[in-house]
Every structure is written in C-alpha cells, then in structure tokens.
Amino acid sequence: MKSQVVSFLIKCPDQKGLVAKITSFFHEKGFNILSSQQYVNAIEDTYFMRVRLNADGTNISKEVLENEFLELATPLNIDWSVNYGDKKQNVAIMVSHTSHNLYDLLERSKEGRLDCNVIMIISNHNKLRYVADMFNIPFYHLPITKETKLEQEAQVKKIVDCNEIDLIVMARYMQILSADFINYYPEKIINIHHSFLPAFQGANPYKKAYERGVKLIGATAHYATVDLDEGPIIEQDVKPVTHESTPTTLKRIGADIEQLVLARAVKCHLNHQIIVSGNRAIVFPEAGE
Amino acid sequence: MKSQVVSFLIKCPDQKGLVAKITSFFHEKGFNILSSQQYVNAIEDTYFMRVRLNADGTNISKEVLENEFLELATPLNIDWSVNYGDKKQNVAIMVSHTSHNLYDLLERSKEGRLDCNVIMIISNHNKLRYVADMFNIPFYHLPITKETKLEQEAQVKKIVDCNEIDLIVMARYMQILSADFINYYPEKIINIHHSFLPAFQGANPYKKAYERGVKLIGATAHYATVDLDEGPIIEQDVKPVTHESTPTTLKRIGADIEQLVLARAVKCHLNHQIIVSGNRAIVFPEAGE
Amino acid sequence: MKSQVVSFLIKCPDQKGLVAKITSFFHEKGFNILSSQQYVNAIEDTYFMRVRLNADGTNISKEVLENEFLELATPLNIDWSVNYGDKKQNVAIMVSHTSHNLYDLLERSKEGRLDCNVIMIISNHNKLRYVADMFNIPFYHLPITKETKLEQEAQVKKIVDCNEIDLIVMARYMQILSADFINYYPEKIINIHHSFLPAFQGANPYKKAYERGVKLIGATAHYATVDLDEGPIIEQDVKPVTHESTPTTLKRIGADIEQLVLARAVKCHLNHQIIVSGNRAIVFPEAGE
Amino acid sequence: MKSQVVSFLIKCPDQKGLVAKITSFFHEKGFNILSSQQYVNAIEDTYFMRVRLNADGTNISKEVLENEFLELATPLNIDWSVNYGDKKQNVAIMVSHTSHNLYDLLERSKEGRLDCNVIMIISNHNKLRYVADMFNIPFYHLPITKETKLEQEAQVKKIVDCNEIDLIVMARYMQILSADFINYYPEKIINIHHSFLPAFQGANPYKKAYERGVKLIGATAHYATVDLDEGPIIEQDVKPVTHESTPTTLKRIGADIEQLVLARAVKCHLNHQIIVSGNRAIVFPEAGE
C-alpha cells in the first residue's frame, strides 16, 4: 500500500469497547493512527467514527485489509467505507446561468485548493461555455425542456458514467432533477441552495428574503435527495443584511456566501469527512489536515 | 424644551427635495441636527427618515414645533412621530419558565445599558418570582387556561394600561396572545422567537433544528402581529453548531443568542430607531449615540 | 465509583498505538467510553487526548484506577489528570468597577448554566457589593495601593486558600497581579481582556481601537501568566463596528462580547476541556455534552 | 450631464445647518438626492457627508456645478470631491506568488461584480502570468532586488502613469514599497494584510498566529501609507480557528478571508464610499445601491 493517508468512515450501533476494538485492529495491522474522531448519537444509540491512517509502516494489501476489517465489522454491525487517497476524485459540475460558483470551483481545483479533477461542465444553457474554455474543461451543452427532461437526464447520466465521475456538483443548476436521476447517485450529488434552509425553500429565495424583511441571508450546501431542498445539510453560512437591501443587492451579497459554502462542502466530501445518517450529515472537522 | 435629544421618525411618498425641506425646517427653528438618516425604498417609492436634534439653541415649545411640522408634513403626505427624550419609557416583561432573557433585560435596565423603567413582570407561572424579587420589580402571577384566556388577557391589559406601559416585551412568554390583545398594542409588543425565522416557526424550534440537521441556529426578535411568528423582524442572529448538538445543547447554545438578540431589539425600539412599513422593520443603525 | 462522568486529560510524546492502548485500558476496566477526542501536534510531535468515561458498569476504586493508569502512563511519558465529576468546583470572582461580567457569571452559576459554586467575590472597590448581595454571595472588599499590593495579595491568597477555591476568574479586575501570585495558581486564573489579543494589549483597548480605526472589536479570555495579556488563549470573539463608534460605544458594544467570551472560557475550564501546552491552550469542543 | 449617479464626498468642521445648506444646494440645482449619508465625529468636531444625486432632471454642466459648489464650500471650509460615474476606473493589480486574490479580482471585474477595468497586472515574479493570460490582461514582469528597488519602482510608476490608473491594488505583493512611491499615490493604493491588524503586523502573520494560539484569524484591507501595515483600515474580517490549525491550514483558511476582505474594500473605494480622515477611514455603507 503506497498511499499516504487511508480513511475509514464507520457507522454502527453504539456498544461498549468500540474505540478500543477498532483502534487496536489498525494498530495491530501496523498502521499509525493519524487521527481518530468519534461521535455518539445518544438519541439513536449510534456510533460514528472517522479514522485516518498512515500506511507507511505496513505492507498489508487493500484486499487483505478489507477482508480482515470485514471480519471485525460484521459481528459489530458496522457500515463502513474506506478510501486509500491514491486517486484524485473526478468531479462533474452542473450549471445554468450563474458563474460565480463555477469560477470558484474551477479556480480552487486548478490551484490545488480542492483536491479533485474537474472532468466536465454540464449546462442546460450555452452561456457559461467561455468559463469552461478559460480553464480548458470540456463543456457539454445539453438543453432541456419539459418534454425532453428524461432524455436530457439520460444524456447526462451517459457522459457522467462514461467518465467515472465520483461527485456531481450542482453549482446553481436551475433545474429540478428527477427522482430517478437523484436515486441513481445517492450521496454523490451536492447542491447549493441560496438561502439558510429550511427558510425559503424553492424558487426566488432572495426575493422572499426581501419581502420577509430578514436581517440575515444565507446559503446551504446539501446532498440532493428526492425531496427538493430537504437533503442532508453539509454546510451553511449567513451574513447580516439591512433594510437597505433590495432583492438585487441580496443576490449580490449572497453570491459570496454561496461560493464559500459550496466550496467548503465539496472539500469536506472530497476529504471523506462526511457520514450521512438519515437526513442528517455528520461532518467531522478537519484534524489538522 | 429642556430635553437633550429630540427624535423624529418620518415616512412618506418619495419626492424631490425632501431632505432639503425637512432639514431646512429644523435648521430654521434653531435646532442643531445631530444626525439625519434616510432610506429610500425604490420598490415602493417610499422615503424614510430619522432625525435627531439638539434642542439647546431653541426655546420653541413642543406644541408650536408639532403644529408647524404638521404644516410642512401635510402636503408632503408625511407620517411622523416625535420623541422628546425627556421621559424614560415604561416596560412590562412577560415570561413563563425561562429565566435567561429576563435576567438579562433586568440587569441591562438596572445598570443603565437599557434606557427604560421595567415597571412589572407578568407571568402565567409563579416560577420566576424570585428573579423579580432580586431586582425589586413587581411580579404579577396571572395563570392561564384555555377557558380563562380572555379573562387573563383582560387582567394583563388592565395592569398594563394602569401603569402607562410603553412597551411589552415577551421574553419567552409561551402563550399565544389573542388577535384582540395584539391589535390593541400595535408595534408595542416585541417577541423573541428561538429560531432564525422564517425557519422553524411555531413550537419546538430546537427539536426541529436538530432533526433537520442545520449547521447554524438562531433567534429572531420581532413585533408581535396576529400571524404567529410573522411580524416585522427587528433583529436576528445565528451561531454555528455541529452534528454533535442535541436538542438540549441547542437550547443551551441558543439561550445566548436569544439574550443578545432580544436586548438589541429592545434597545433599538427604546432608542426610536425603528419605522415599521408593511411587514418590514426599517431599523436605522445608531448614529454614534 | 458513583460519579456519572469521569474525565481524563492526557498529554504525551506522539507514538504508535496510543489510542488503542489507552482506550483498551479503559475498556478492560469496565468503563463505557462516552467520548474520546484526540489532537496530534505534528510540529511538536505531541499527542493530546480527552476521554470521558461512564463509570456505571465498574466498581473500581479511584485509588486503583489511578495506580493502574500510572503503570500504563509512566513508560509512555504521559502527563495526565483525572476528574471524577463528583464535586462542584469552587470559584472566586475578582472584580473592580465593571458589573456586566459579574452579573453574567453569577446568573449562569445560579441557574445551572455554569456548573460551579461561586464561593466569593473579591474586589479592590466596594462599588459592586450590591450585586454580590443580590445573589447572596460573600463579598470581600480588599482595597489596594502601590504600597499595600503585596499585603492585599496575601489577604486574597488567604481567603482563597481557606475556601478551597478551584478557579479564580478575573472578571474585569483592573489590577496587575504579581508574578508570585500568578505562579502560585498555575492554570487556575482566567482573565478577560477587552480586545482581540494580541491586538491592543495593556490599558485602554477601546480607546486604542477607536484611534486605529479598526472595523471589528473583540475580547479574549486567557489563563493569566506573568507576561501581561500573553497567557494561553482559551476563547476569543469579535463583532463588526463602524467609523460611527466612539470609545464609549465601543465599550458598550464590547461588553456583550466580553460577557460571552468569559462565560464560554470558564465553562470549558470547569468542564475539563482544556490542556495547556506551552503558550497554547488545546480546547477540545464539547462532545454532545 | 448625462451620467446616472453623481457622488459628492464632503468633509468640514461641524457647524449648524450643514445638512440643510448642502441638500438645499443640490435641490435647487435640480438634482434628485438619491441618498445622503452623514457622520459627525464629535471628538474632532468634524462633519462628513456622502451624497448621491440623480442628474436626470438637470442640465447643469460639470464646470458650473463645481464652480457654484465651490462658492458654497469655501466659507464652510469644506474639503470635497465629486465623481460623475461616467467613466469606469482603471485598476492596476500588483502580485507576487499568491494567486487567490488575483483570480478573485479578475473574475469580479470580468463579471461586472466590480465596476472597473483591470488594465494591467504587475509582478516581481513571472509565476502568475498564466492567470493574466486566462483573463487577457497585460502582465508586466518587473523583477526586484535590493539594488534595483528604486529603478523597479520607477518602471512601475511609468507604466501606471502612462495608463491613467486610478487605483493600485496590492493583492499580496510581497515587497515593501518606498515612501516616495506611496506618497506619490495618496489614498490610491489598497493593500491586503493577512491578519486582523494591528495584531501580527509585518511578515509571517499565520506563523505568529499559530504560535500565539489565537482562536480566530483575519485579514485587513487598508490604504498603504509609509508606516507599514498602519494605514487607514477599510475592511476587516475574521474566522474562528481551533488548536488543530497549523500555519499551513491557517494560510488556507485565511485565503478565503483575504479574498472577500480585499474585494469588499476595492468595491467601497470604486463606489466612492470612503473618506480618509487622519488615520481612520470613514466607510459609508451602500445605500441600497
């Protein structure tokens, strides 16, 4: 195993001795535990863990590691996943008309602030092709109408699957994806919504925020689920505003929040910090990474 | 006129020359304009103004000032109010079981951080009488049931009116006031709701926040209107939380936000910084006050 | 062992297998690990851990537990402390003229939001005695002059030591404590400074903040050390301000920040969340507590 | 006068009747006052004003307007400037190795989120030429050594002056400009410093922040003056960090703050919201713009 950092994400019923058993397992296999983070949900009696390992001192194969961990995991009812950090993840970005999130993700990816390969940009409009061109990323213009919705989604699916995409980021893609599409990529689609959910679900949140006279506006990044704007929340932030703000200025102020919130959420996902449990996202903080 | 600072709050259709006309009026009467704040709502073509005057250089009487201002105001369709700052406002606080907002308001009032006299505390429970006693404030225990609701509200009205109360603060009073009661005190009742409205209206916002897995919780101070939790928002704030939070810890974290948000809203009201317009509250910031 | 939650704070050179060894130890003794938090400082190769245990399933005595843990700890070079959570900590508050932090700490303690007994208030002035009286806390007025400084500190030491004080909180005590006094209570004195340190160390931070024209002001809670305002920082916060602010309004705005920052720092200390390492404070977040 | 919005920035000794006189002047010339913002510094007895006018109803020439305003201004001792909003401002960006601020400013300018023309990028290194190329902006590589400093600055001056640059933005330009250079462009150079000044002036603020163990890090945008990192502060912001952060992670977290803080400061400058007074920057908020 040549990779630097191996990450395990673990979820199971809470029970005595879990930390000891799991950390002893890795210790015995020769790993150095870089960080081990736990969370016990006492309401649901569930245990969550994120372990980051340095594989330098061990020459166990991935296969053996996984088989032996499975032996530990099965009697403890552990749901788990492992990532070997030896392959950059492939990302597809979906957009419509709004450019700020797109620029930001492309810049972060290009400059190494996001550890991924942006493989493609998919849009129902042609407007943002020039941004893709600036960053030399393939741009797929796949228009959509009520009538062609399923067909267009089939096209999206096809190019996504052909390119081994690990994560789809909806960076202000202003179409509602079908339940079929969403269910085909569980916990693989991150959406940015331009309000502090659950406030102002659906269309035109900045207009609604103006009308309600709120004193702060926000943005929410969440996993897309079949219930619109109701998926597990990964990251949220807000900024104070005043009565002076119009829907137009709220939109402009909000753009900066959307940008940061989406970038942070994508980073947490790429960095294997998230375990979804029901409709809640357990987001472990970075451990000095 | 002996008072130090006279404040005018003004609202009218937008039209050319308003600032000039209004400020010239005060200048000619011999006032020194300490601050003059404007806000134009271009969507509704409405003009809002807050003017603070130093009355030292003038000996115009209140009556004359108001009559002459009326002459200016009538043709311009100005809605206005004036405050002479020569009388501390009287406040009634309504509470149920929760003490943190009550302590905070009493302390700020006692120490001069809120410029008002807390005249009484009204509660549907007896639990917080000891806090009233610590601060030597009369405490009225007026229990309530479904059956006695109107009767109890009549009692509240009576003691409020007998004591020339200028402002009622619902500092976690866990009863829904009747429309009659609320309409009797328009823009005179401030409520604190323990969520960043419009998210989590109604009961148990912290439980709902836990279940929705939000990454920030908040509080909102607003004028009470007949639509529950839908009155004009005066002040809001939030604090980040994590998946670790339970409904219990959210409640504890939220208490600090509630406290500050309510205190700031009450301060803005007492300081004549607010003009309500439809369902929005225009809250002028302090002008170096 | 009847107590509910036993907390261990651990610091040692980083080395392979630490999590496994330590958690296995507690597991074998019959404890349920409620939470185990780690932090590895890779720059100094140091490992820090906070473990919270539920002692319900074990009847090991404190003495045996400590002796056996010592056997584990010694070869691993572990610095450690344990708290059994079976005794409320005793707190002394030192103040001068400013009341807001004092009220806040007393209210939180009285209402159970801070888990401690405030045993006494010590002041170099008599001004705040009435606050102590409101909360029925003994108040010691110990005036100080340049000439009587050592003598006064000796008096403070005496009453502090007679009352088995666990923590001294300087809640805007405007005297510089001597090195002797501070060294006598290592990591037992928390001070609030009214700026975001290291900005504006020393006297009159709000005046300096006005003159420098900063756009945010803050407060810092830290352990007192012999270098004034340079001890390990526990908690900091800021709030935006504008050019409108005067030293007076900064003071008023700052009071709210000071209050929250000090309360949070004291809570972290009482809750055994802090390990000091050199001049840095490792402050573990609450683990759903 | 064809332009949409004319802005006046005004500073003078405080005196009775200023608002009335100034707003009456503009009213009589046929302007519609879009917004009028005041600030009285009572400590220095100075009055500041920002007035935005709609020139649609008037056909006064710039020359006449300025001459007549001068007649009003001279006896009142008014320092003033006017901007007609009829010409985009020209901006030069100076950088060294760090790309995030550069990308951000270029994107905002290209997408109309910053109202300016970025005319050139000047760098003492060649590293970021590719970013300039992506956005089609001329890039001047002007290396610098101790020996060639004055010469290089002369070159910078030459190309800046040839291109009628209105504003120089130091977007992490890691050289100390000479006093001569700085004094040649008073209030025309905005610098971003990667700490919440006055904390951590000078080199390596993130390393210093780590060592001091602060619980928040920040960034400050200010006008460059001859005293390093001591010029008038335009904008500041911070973000909470924890003990987990290393100098490397602080740098990464800080990048997001730097980006927003610099962009906001540049926007305020381009939008004529700032009056410098001594070492303080009066930054009027946007008035629904």
Side-chain angles (χ1 to χ4, degrees):
Chain A
M1 211 178 294
K2 290 181 211 156
S3 67
Q4 279 305 301
V5 177
V6 180
S7 308
F8 273 79
L9 292 173
I10 286 164
K11 176 185 172 184
C12 63
D14 194 21
Q15 48 206 296
K16 261 197 179 182
L18 276 171
V19 199
K21 280 178 200 163
I22 296 168
T23 54
S24 296
F25 172 87
F26 292 121
H27 179 47
E28 283 154 20
K29 301 297 172 220
F31 289 99
N32 192 14
I33 297 178
L34 295 172
S35 67
S36 116
Q37 299 167 289
Q38 290 95 46
Y39 160 56
V40 179
N41 185 317
I43 294 168
E44 298 170 7
D45 245 335
T46 312
Y47 179 85
F48 301 85
M49 191 177 199
R50 175 179 181 243
V51 193
R52 290 166 59 252
L53 308 164
N54 187 321
D56 280 351
T58 173
N59 46 23
I60 193 171
S61 73
K62 291 180 186 182
E63 204 181 17
V64 173
L65 174 64
E66 294 182 23
N67 282 338
E68 302 205 352
F69 190 76
L70 195 63
E71 275 177 44
L72 175 76
T74 309
L76 299 170
N77 259 316
I78 293 179
D79 267 356
W80 58 283
S81 65
V82 58
N83 183 282
Y84 296 98
D86 49 2
K87 185 183 150 297
K88 272 204 185 186
Q89 291 171 75
N90 291 337
V91 171
I93 302 176
M94 298 184 79
V95 290
S96 293
H97 291 294
T98 311
S99 65
H100 55 267
N101 285 107
L102 179 60
Y103 269 108
D104 187 66
L105 293 171
L106 293 179
E107 186 243 296
R108 285 173 195 268
S109 158
K110 183 178 176 74
E111 298 291 308
R113 295 161 80 193
L114 274 182
D115 188 27
C116 65
N117 294 316
V118 178
I119 298 295
M120 66 181 71
I121 296 158
I122 299 168
S123 182
N124 54 331
H125 295 282
N126 213 12
K127 188 183 158 194
L128 298 179
R129 182 182 292 277
Y130 70 99
V131 183
D133 290 348
M134 285 174 69
F135 288 85
N136 274 317
I137 311 283
F139 183 89
Y140 296 89
H141 176 208
L142 300 175
I144 193 167
T145 63
K146 263 185 197 170
E147 289 71 33
T148 63
K149 190 184 171 76
L150 290 183
E151 196 181 327
Q152 192 251 23
E153 286 193 353
Q155 289 174 298
V156 174
K157 235 185 233 180
K158 199 174 156 194
I159 53 170
V160 163
D161 290 351
C162 287
N163 285 279
E164 297 183 347
I165 296 300
D166 299 294
L167 175 68
I168 298 170
V169 181
M170 296 172 71
R172 301 291 308 270
Y173 180 67
M174 304 309 277
Q175 292 291 322
I176 298 173
L177 298 171
S178 72
D180 275 357
F181 187 94
I182 285 172
N183 287 329
Y184 188 71
Y185 299 109
E187 295 169 32
K188 296 283 182 207
I189 307 174
I190 293 178
N191 182 46
I192 181 76
H193 183 75
H194 38 315
S195 79
F196 49 96
L197 290 175
F200 309 125
Q201 289 182 236
N204 290 324
Y206 291 130
K207 186 160 172 289
K208 289 176 192 160
Y210 165 78
E211 285 162 359
R212 183 65 190 90
V214 289
K215 300 303 184 196
L216 43 84
I217 58 165
T220 305
H222 63 95
Y223 286 114
T225 59
V226 291
D227 299 311
L228 186 67
D229 298 333
E230 300 208 341
I233 293 172
I234 304 170
E235 176 80 19
Q236 294 189 290
D237 210 345
V238 295
K239 222 177 114 59
V241 295
T242 74
H243 58 264
E244 291 270 4
S245 304
T246 62
T248 308
T249 55
L250 291 178
K251 206 171 144 183
R252 199 184 62 216
I253 296 167
D256 289 343
I257 316 172
E258 293 167 32
Q259 218 170 290
L260 282 181
V261 163
L262 182 57
R264 280 187 225 139
V266 170
K267 188 168 180 30
C268 289
H269 179 94
L270 294 173
N271 201 29
H272 310 289
Q273 295 171 239
I274 310 176
I275 303 176
V276 171
S277 177
N279 205 37
R280 304 175 76 238
I282 317 307
V283 184
F284 289 104
E286 283 199 339
E289 295 151 57
Chain B
M1 212 177 290
K2 293 182 210 156
S3 66
Q4 280 304 302
V5 178
V6 180
S7 309
F8 273 79
L9 291 173
I10 287 166
K11 176 185 171 184
C12 64
D14 195 19
Q15 49 205 294
K16 261 196 178 181
L18 276 170
V19 199
K21 281 176 200 162
I22 296 168
T23 54
S24 296
F25 173 87
F26 291 122
H27 179 47
E28 282 154 21
K29 300 299 172 218
F31 288 99
N32 193 14
I33 297 178
L34 295 171
S35 67
S36 116
Q37 299 167 289
Q38 290 94 47
Y39 160 56
V40 178
N41 185 318
I43 294 168
E44 299 171 5
D45 245 336
T46 312
Y47 179 86
F48 301 85
M49 192 177 197
R50 175 179 182 242
V51 192
R52 288 165 59 251
L53 308 163
N54 185 321
D56 280 351
T58 173
N59 47 24
I60 194 170
S61 73
K62 291 180 187 181
E63 205 180 16
V64 173
L65 175 64
E66 294 182 23
N67 282 338
E68 302 204 352
F69 190 76
L70 195 62
E71 275 175 44
L72 175 76
T74 309
L76 298 170
N77 261 315
I78 294 178
D79 267 357
W80 59 281
S81 66
V82 57
N83 184 280
Y84 296 98
D86 48 2
K87 184 182 151 292
K88 272 203 184 186
Q89 291 171 75
N90 290 336
V91 171
I93 301 176
M94 298 184 77
V95 292
S96 292
H97 292 295
T98 311
S99 66
H100 54 268
N101 285 106
L102 179 60
Y103 269 109
D104 187 66
L105 294 171
L106 292 178
E107 186 243 299
R108 284 173 196 267
S109 158
K110 184 178 175 74
E111 298 291 308
R113 295 162 80 194
L114 274 182
D115 187 28
C116 65
N117 293 315
V118 179
I119 299 293
M120 66 180 71
I121 296 158
I122 299 166
S123 182
N124 54 331
H125 295 281
N126 214 11
K127 188 182 158 197
L128 298 179
R129 182 182 292 278
Y130 70 99
V131 184
D133 290 348
M134 285 173 70
F135 288 84
N136 272 317
I137 311 283
F139 183 90
Y140 296 88
H141 176 207
L142 301 174
I144 193 167
T145 63
K146 263 184 199 172
E147 290 70 34
T148 64
K149 189 184 173 75
L150 290 183
E151 196 183 328
Q152 192 252 20
E153 285 193 355
Q155 289 174 298
V156 174
K157 234 184 236 182
K158 199 173 155 193
I159 52 169
V160 163
D161 291 350
C162 287
N163 286 278
E164 298 185 346
I165 295 299
D166 299 293
L167 176 68
I168 298 170
V169 181
M170 297 172 70
R172 304 290 309 270
Y173 180 67
M174 304 310 276
Q175 292 290 323
I176 298 173
L177 297 171
S178 72
D180 275 356
F181 188 94
I182 285 172
N183 288 330
Y184 188 72
Y185 299 108
E187 294 169 31
K188 296 284 181 206
I189 307 174
I190 293 177
N191 181 46
I192 180 78
H193 184 74
H194 37 316
S195 80
F196 50 97
L197 289 174
F200 309 126
Q201 289 181 234
N204 290 325
Y206 291 129
K207 187 160 170 289
K208 290 175 192 162
Y210 165 78
E211 284 162 0
R212 183 64 190 89
V214 289
K215 300 303 184 197
L216 42 85
I217 58 166
T220 305
H222 63 95
Y223 286 114
T225 59
V226 291
D227 299 310
L228 185 66
D229 298 333
E230 301 207 341
I233 293 171
I234 304 169
E235 176 81 19
Q236 293 189 289
D237 211 345
V238 295
K239 224 178 112 61
V241 295
T242 74
H243 57 264
E244 291 270 3
S245 304
T246 62
T248 308
T249 56
L250 291 178
K251 205 171 146 183
R252 199 184 61 216
I253 295 166
D256 289 343
I257 316 173
E258 292 166 33
Q259 218 169 291
L260 281 181
V261 164
L262 183 57
R264 280 188 226 140
V266 170
K267 187 167 180 30
C268 290
H269 179 95
L270 293 173
N271 202 29
H272 310 289
Q273 296 170 237
I274 310 176
I275 302 175
V276 171
S277 178
N279 205 37
R280 304 175 75 239
I282 317 306
V283 184
F284 289 104
E286 282 200 339
E289 293 151 59
Chain C
M1 212 179 291
K2 292 182 212 157
S3 66
Q4 280 305 300
V5 178
V6 180
S7 309
F8 272 78
L9 290 174
I10 287 165
K11 176 185 171 182
C12 63
D14 195 20
Q15 50 205 294
K16 262 197 177 182
L18 276 171
V19 199
K21 279 178 201 164
I22 296 169
T23 54
S24 296
F25 172 87
F26 291 121
H27 178 48
E28 283 155 21
K29 300 298 171 219
F31 288 100
N32 193 14
I33 298 179
L34 296 172
S35 67
S36 117
Q37 299 166 288
Q38 289 94 46
Y39 160 56
V40 178
N41 185 319
I43 294 168
E44 297 170 6
D45 245 336
T46 311
Y47 179 86
F48 300 85
M49 191 176 197
R50 175 178 181 244
V51 193
R52 289 166 59 250
L53 309 163
N54 186 320
D56 280 351
T58 173
N59 48 23
I60 194 171
S61 73
K62 291 180 186 181
E63 204 179 18
V64 173
L65 174 65
E66 293 182 24
N67 282 338
E68 303 205 352
F69 190 76
L70 194 63
E71 275 176 44
L72 175 76
T74 309
L76 298 170
N77 260 315
I78 293 179
D79 267 358
W80 58 282
S81 65
V82 58
N83 183 281
Y84 296 97
D86 49 2
K87 184 184 151 294
K88 273 204 185 186
Q89 291 170 75
N90 291 336
V91 171
I93 301 177
M94 299 183 78
V95 290
S96 293
H97 292 294
T98 311
S99 65
H100 56 267
N101 285 107
L102 179 60
Y103 268 108
D104 187 66
L105 293 171
L106 292 178
E107 187 243 297
R108 284 173 196 269
S109 158
K110 182 177 176 74
E111 298 291 308
R113 296 162 78 194
L114 274 182
D115 187 28
C116 64
N117 294 316
V118 178
I119 298 294
M120 66 180 71
I121 296 157
I122 300 167
S123 182
N124 54 330
H125 296 281
N126 214 11
K127 187 183 158 194
L128 298 179
R129 181 182 293 276
Y130 71 98
V131 184
D133 290 348
M134 284 173 69
F135 287 84
N136 274 318
I137 311 284
F139 182 90
Y140 296 89
H141 176 208
L142 302 174
I144 193 168
T145 62
K146 262 185 199 174
E147 289 71 34
T148 63
K149 189 183 171 76
L150 290 183
E151 197 182 327
Q152 191 251 24
E153 286 192 353
Q155 288 174 298
V156 175
K157 235 186 235 182
K158 199 175 156 194
I159 53 170
V160 164
D161 290 351
C162 287
N163 286 279
E164 297 184 347
I165 296 300
D166 299 294
L167 175 69
I168 299 170
V169 181
M170 296 172 70
R172 302 291 307 271
Y173 180 68
M174 304 310 276
Q175 292 291 321
I176 298 172
L177 298 170
S178 72
D180 275 359
F181 188 94
I182 285 172
N183 288 329
Y184 188 72
Y185 299 108
E187 294 168 32
K188 297 281 182 210
I189 307 174
I190 293 178
N191 181 45
I192 181 77
H193 184 74
H194 38 317
S195 79
F196 49 97
L197 289 174
F200 308 126
Q201 289 182 235
N204 290 324
Y206 291 129
K207 186 160 171 291
K208 289 176 192 161
Y210 165 78
E211 284 162 359
R212 183 64 190 89
V214 290
K215 301 302 183 195
L216 43 83
I217 59 165
T220 305
H222 63 95
Y223 286 114
T225 59
V226 292
D227 299 311
L228 184 68
D229 298 333
E230 300 207 343
I233 293 172
I234 304 170
E235 176 80 19
Q236 294 188 290
D237 209 344
V238 294
K239 223 178 114 59
V241 295
T242 73
H243 57 265
E244 291 271 2
S245 305
T246 61
T248 309
T249 55
L250 291 178
K251 205 171 145 183
R252 198 185 61 216
I253 296 167
D256 289 344
I257 316 172
E258 292 166 33
Q259 219 169 291
L260 282 181
V261 163
L262 182 57
R264 281 188 226 140
V266 170
K267 186 165 180 34
C268 289
H269 178 95
L270 293 173
N271 202 30
H272 310 289
Q273 295 171 239
I274 309 176
I275 303 175
V276 171
S277 177
N279 205 39
R280 304 174 77 239
I282 317 306
V283 185
F284 289 103
E286 282 200 339
E289 294 152 56
Chain D
M1 211 177 292
K2 292 181 213 159
S3 66
Q4 280 305 302
V5 178
V6 180
S7 308
F8 273 78
L9 291 174
I10 286 165
K11 176 185 172 182
C12 63
D14 195 20
Q15 50 205 294
K16 259 197 178 180
L18 276 171
V19 200
K21 280 176 200 165
I22 296 168
T23 54
S24 295
F25 173 87
F26 292 121
H27 179 47
E28 284 154 19
K29 301 299 171 217
F31 289 99
N32 193 14
I33 298 178
L34 296 172
S35 66
S36 117
Q37 299 168 290
Q38 290 93 47
Y39 160 55
V40 179
N41 185 318
I43 294 168
E44 298 170 5
D45 244 336
T46 311
Y47 179 85
F48 301 85
M49 191 177 197
R50 175 180 182 243
V51 192
R52 288 165 61 251
L53 308 164
N54 186 320
D56 280 351
T58 174
N59 47 23
I60 194 171
S61 72
K62 292 181 185 179
E63 205 180 15
V64 172
L65 174 64
E66 293 182 24
N67 281 338
E68 303 204 351
F69 191 76
L70 196 62
E71 275 177 44
L72 175 77
T74 309
L76 298 170
N77 260 317
I78 293 179
D79 267 357
W80 58 282
S81 65
V82 58
N83 184 280
Y84 296 98
D86 48 2
K87 185 183 151 292
K88 271 204 184 185
Q89 291 172 75
N90 290 335
V91 170
I93 301 176
M94 299 184 77
V95 291
S96 292
H97 291 296
T98 310
S99 66
H100 55 267
N101 285 107
L102 179 60
Y103 269 108
D104 187 66
L105 293 171
L106 293 178
E107 187 244 297
R108 284 173 195 267
S109 159
K110 183 179 176 71
E111 299 291 308
R113 296 161 79 193
L114 274 182
D115 187 27
C116 64
N117 294 315
V118 178
I119 299 293
M120 67 180 70
I121 296 158
I122 299 166
S123 182
N124 54 331
H125 296 281
N126 213 11
K127 187 183 159 194
L128 298 180
R129 182 182 291 279
Y130 71 99
V131 184
D133 289 348
M134 285 173 69
F135 287 85
N136 273 317
I137 310 283
F139 183 89
Y140 296 89
H141 176 208
L142 301 174
I144 194 167
T145 63
K146 262 185 198 170
E147 290 71 32
T148 63
K149 188 184 172 76
L150 290 182
E151 197 183 326
Q152 192 251 21
E153 286 193 354
Q155 288 174 298
V156 174
K157 235 186 235 181
K158 200 174 153 192
I159 52 169
V160 163
D161 290 350
C162 287
N163 285 279
E164 299 185 343
I165 294 300
D166 299 295
L167 176 68
I168 298 170
V169 181
M170 297 172 70
R172 303 291 308 270
Y173 180 68
M174 304 311 275
Q175 292 290 323
I176 298 173
L177 298 171
S178 71
D180 274 358
F181 188 94
I182 284 172
N183 287 330
Y184 188 72
Y185 299 109
E187 294 168 32
K188 296 284 181 206
I189 307 173
I190 293 177
N191 181 47
I192 181 77
H193 184 73
H194 38 315
S195 80
F196 50 97
L197 290 174
F200 308 126
Q201 290 182 235
N204 290 324
Y206 292 130
K207 186 160 172 290
K208 289 175 192 162
Y210 165 78
E211 284 162 1
R212 183 63 190 89
V214 288
K215 299 304 183 196
L216 43 85
I217 59 166
T220 305
H222 63 94
Y223 287 114
T225 59
V226 292
D227 299 310
L228 186 67
D229 298 334
E230 300 207 343
I233 293 171
I234 304 169
E235 176 79 21
Q236 293 189 290
D237 211 345
V238 295
K239 225 180 112 58
V241 295
T242 74
H243 58 264
E244 291 270 2
S245 304
T246 61
T248 308
T249 55
L250 292 178
K251 206 171 145 183
R252 200 184 60 216
I253 295 166
D256 289 343
I257 316 172
E258 293 167 32
Q259 218 169 291
L260 281 181
V261 163
L262 183 57
R264 278 187 227 141
V266 170
K267 187 167 180 33
C268 290
H269 179 95
L270 294 173
N271 203 29
H272 310 289
Q273 296 171 238
I274 310 176
I275 303 175
V276 170
S277 179
N279 205 39
R280 304 175 76 237
I282 317 308
V283 185
F284 289 103
E286 281 200 339
E289 294 152 58

